[in-house]
């Protein structure tokens, strides 16, 4: 927001330089992002003077140029070649002397002594658009004959120079979105060291001239409009604003429009209260109605665009149709025009939520909506209305032709806040003393309702929408007292803390670093997902989904129960863009509902779990002349899974292995430890892949990170030396029924040989040609070792034969 230094001084007597004021504003929380010296006309008309055309004759070498002599003052008679058709002897004009810089938007050019068609020219007689005073280029500017030759143009046109602060307001400080608001804060800060106060222009001169144009107001949507004030002014003349008003607006970056609209903008930036002026002739039925209208209603705004209204858009209407989008944008038809002679002036307090939603729906952001969205002063509407009415009478004439209409059914009371002296000292870190605290509160216009030994009961004015708690009041005290006055303590207090083991953040990074080094890429999926994923899903049931009351779309209707579907979406997205060879991983929370309603403690109805999921699909590596095409497989994924478990310190031999029971996988395994499932992995079922349009097999591993962390807390790493005697590997290829799981084979082997068997691993599963339809082939490896001696072939063969006999007897297995 732009604040003019000179304009600010109309409300507070400042004996400080612009640089000092900028520093003070930043110190009290109104950060000045930049400060710029500006002029109402770019360049300040430097080098331009009032001159008189002494002679004017046709240029000897041109039909459209004139040769003139010009008196520039101080005895300077200059030859000037001019191309304007209206130049004539005896005129008072504006002359740009040699060396003057003129501006055309962002471009600039310098006036030089030159020859034009053989004739010397030492300057340029200017049109209004050439010096930034208008847009007319029909001819040169001809001044009043009384203009004094030699007068600098800046002096003649009363060009102002000023400093403009760009204040970076935080959203909660809308009370300072005006010159009076800034002056109020500066006065509060400066009162600590000098007698100073800010002043508001008086509106005591306001009086009703007649009652010739009474326009009643009706509020049909009171929840959206808490206060509505208005007054009529008749007999106004719409014209260009006086220079002082135009200059004020130009300095802060606003373009003057006409005298009435300029006054409403001026009062907005003076007081912070948005106003709107309606052409009274367009108020059909002689009544203003504040209401919402039927959805789909087409409304043309001031910019000429038609907008389709929403059922919750608050509108200012006449008896027949909408005239204005309340608090956001005026209507094309009801706005002030050159032909307007009577106006209805509005000053209101609209609900911030209504205005914000309307502005967002229509993609509009105006100075008015900016303030209404954040909260204006409900008690400032009448002052702003009177101020604007008096200014309109001053610049446009007319008479106030009605009493002020003020509908304010439920006045907003001051906010009640209790503060304790102890908390003020504790949060600020300095004992300010009771007297200084009261002085600062008075400067902030916060009233003390009552006082006790321990604290104060306060009443905060409604324009301070951000001060509703004790902490807010203490922050205000510190802000005005001065952050820079708080001394930095020389002593630093600290307490020793022992980090929880394992450090979960480090564990995640450890796993992530390892997976990234192995060619994986990390992904982040949305926690919100489609409800359809969990419909008729036996593994992740729909009744366990955490549903949103107001979802943004059907695709974001529930919170995810698994990372699987977000990952498959990522795989499909990449596969559709010819990137099918992927290794991805994702850490994320999954969310579950117990499906019951607990009124006393509703949080117990929900739980969340942290998971890590790996995704592997496509080729192991890009095929080339050295490495032929090689597809990923279940066993490649199994290697990654076991690497993760080993990396965080688990002994795989102490884990129980079971076949996956999840319907997500067509074939899979589960690793368990102490009755807790650590990970489940396998090949995703073809039915699921088909839903995502994936043709290549996808292998997925789902780590339960919560169970993993708990197991790590109870896990001790114990060093054991390398075995003295070698281990021996033997493999068996077994033909088993399809119903037989690897876990059964492993458990039976462990029961058969408890002393020498070190590990049992599955390294191949085959179904197809040469295998009966009701059978499958398992290729299993066995590691044997005796810690006391080297195993002999005879002993090994005997153990393997016991395995084969046990498999045949209990599971009906046969050697292939």
């Amino acid at each position: 927001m732009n604040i003019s230094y000179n304009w600010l001084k109309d409300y507070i007597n400042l004996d400080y330089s612009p640089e000092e004021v900028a520093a003070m504003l930043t110190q009290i929380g109104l950060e000045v992002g930049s400060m710029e010296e500006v002029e109402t006309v770019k360049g300040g008309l430097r080098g331009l003077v009032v001159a008189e055309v002494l002679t004017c004759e046709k240029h000897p070498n041109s039909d459209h140029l004139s040769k003139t002599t010009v008196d520039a003052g101080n005895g300077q008679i200059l030859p000037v070649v001019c191309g304007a058709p209206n130049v004539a002897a005896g005129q008072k004009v504006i002359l740009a002397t040699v060396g003057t810089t003129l501006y055309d938007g962002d471009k600039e050019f310098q006036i030089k002594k030159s020859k034009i068609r053989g004739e010397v020219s030492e300057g340029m007689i200017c049109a209004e658009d050439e010096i930034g005073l208008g847009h007319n280029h029909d001819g040169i500017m001809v001044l009043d004959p009384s203009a004094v030759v030699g007068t600098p143009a800046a002096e003649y046109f009363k060009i102002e120079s000023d400093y403009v602060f760009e204040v970076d307001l935080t959203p909660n400080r809308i009370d300072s979105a005006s010159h009076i608001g800034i002056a109020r804060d500066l006065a509060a800060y400066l009162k600590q060291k000098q007698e100073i106060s800010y002043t508001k222009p008086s509106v005591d001169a306001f009086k009703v001239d007649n009652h010739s144009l009474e326009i009643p107001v009706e509020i049909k949507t009171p929840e959206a409009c808490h206060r509505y004030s208005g007054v009529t002014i008749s007999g106004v003349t719409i014209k260009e604003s006086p220079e002082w008003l135009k200059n004020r607006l130009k300095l802060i970056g606003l373009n003057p429009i006409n005298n009435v609209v300029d006054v409403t903008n001026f009062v907005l930036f003076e007081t912070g209260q948005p106003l709107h002026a309606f052409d009274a002739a367009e108020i059909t039925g002689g009544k203003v109605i504040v209401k919402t209208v039927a959805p789909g209603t087409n409304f043309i705004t001031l910019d000429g665009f038609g907008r389709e209204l929403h059922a919750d858009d608050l509108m200012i209407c006449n008896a027949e149709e909408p005239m204005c989008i309340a608090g956001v944008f005026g209507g094309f038809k009801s706005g002030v025009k050159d032909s307007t002679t009577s106006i209805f002036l509005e000053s209101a307090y609209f609900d911030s939520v209504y205005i914000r939603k309307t502005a967002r729906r229509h993609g509009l952001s105006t100075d008015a909506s900016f303030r209404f969205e954040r909260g204006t002063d409900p008690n400032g509407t009448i002052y702003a209305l009177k101020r604007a009415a008096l200014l309109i009478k001053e610049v446009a004439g007319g008479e106030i032709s009605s009493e002020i209409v003020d509908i304010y059914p439920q006045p907003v009371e001051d906010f009640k806040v209790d503060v304790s002296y102890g908390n003020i000292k504790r949060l600020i870190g300095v004992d300010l003393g009771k007297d200084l605290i009261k002085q600062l509160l008075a400067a902030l216009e916060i009233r003390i309702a009552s006082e006790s030994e321990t604290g104060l009961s306060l009443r905060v004015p409604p324009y301070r929408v951000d001060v509703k708690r004790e902490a807010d009041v203490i922050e205000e005290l510190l802000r005005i007292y001065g952050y820079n006055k708080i001394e930095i303590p020389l002593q630093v207090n600290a307490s020793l803390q022992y980090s929880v083991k394992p450090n979960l953040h480090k564990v995640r990074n450890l796993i992530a670093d390892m997976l990234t080094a192995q060619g994986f890429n990390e992904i982040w999926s949305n926690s919100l997902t489609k409800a359809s994923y969990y419909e008729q899903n036996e593994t992740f049931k729909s009744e366990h989904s955490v549903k949103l009351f107001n979802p943004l779309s059907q695709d974001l209707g529930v919170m995810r129960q698994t990372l699987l579907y977000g990952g498959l979406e990522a795989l499909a997205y990449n596969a559709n863009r010819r990137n099918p060879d992927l290794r991805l991983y994702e850490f994320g929370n999954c969310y579950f509902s117990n499906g019951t309603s607990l009124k006393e403690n509703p949080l117990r109805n929900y739980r969340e779990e942290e998971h890590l999921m790996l995704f592997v699909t496509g080729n192991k590596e890009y095929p080339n002349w050295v490495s032929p095409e090689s597809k990923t497989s279940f066993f490649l994924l199994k290697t990654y899974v076991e690497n993760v478990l080993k990396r965080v310190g688990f002994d795989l031999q102490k884990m129980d292995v079971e076949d996956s029971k999840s319907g997500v996988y067509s074939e899979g395994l589960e690793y368990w430890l102490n009755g807790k499932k650590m990970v489940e992995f396998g090949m995703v079922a073809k039915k699921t892949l088909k839903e995502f349009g994936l043709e290549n097999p996808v292998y997925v591993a789902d780590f339960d990170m919560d169970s993993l962390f708990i197991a790590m807390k109870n896990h001790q790493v114990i060093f054991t030396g390398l075995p003295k005697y070698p281990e021996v590997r033997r493999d068996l290829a077994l033909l088993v029924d399809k119903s037989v799981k690897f876990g059964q084979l492993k458990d039976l082997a462990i029961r058969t040989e408890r002393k020498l068997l070190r590990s049992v691993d599955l390294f191949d599963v085959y179904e197809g040609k040469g295998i009966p339809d009701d059978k499958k082939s398992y290729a299993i490896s066995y590691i044997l070792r005796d810690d006391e001696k080297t195993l002999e072939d005879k002993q090994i063969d005997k153990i393997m034969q016991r395995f084969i006999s046990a498999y045949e007897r209990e599971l009906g297995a046969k050697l292939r």
Side-chain angles (χ1 to χ4, degrees), residues 16 24 187-196 439 485:
Y16 299 92
M24 283 188 281
Y189 174 71
L190 291 171
K191 274 183 181 178
Q192 296 180 74
K193 53 185 177 181
Q194 67 184 88
E195 281 295 327
I196 192 171
Q439 178 186 334
K485 293 181 182 178

Side-chain angles (χ1 to χ4, degrees), residues 15-35:
D15 294 326
Y16 299 92
S17 68
E19 291 79 10
E20 290 173 320
V21 172
M24 283 188 281
L25 290 174
T26 298
Q27 187 171 333
I28 59 176
L30 303 173
E31 183 178 359
V32 176
S34 65
M35 184 182 74

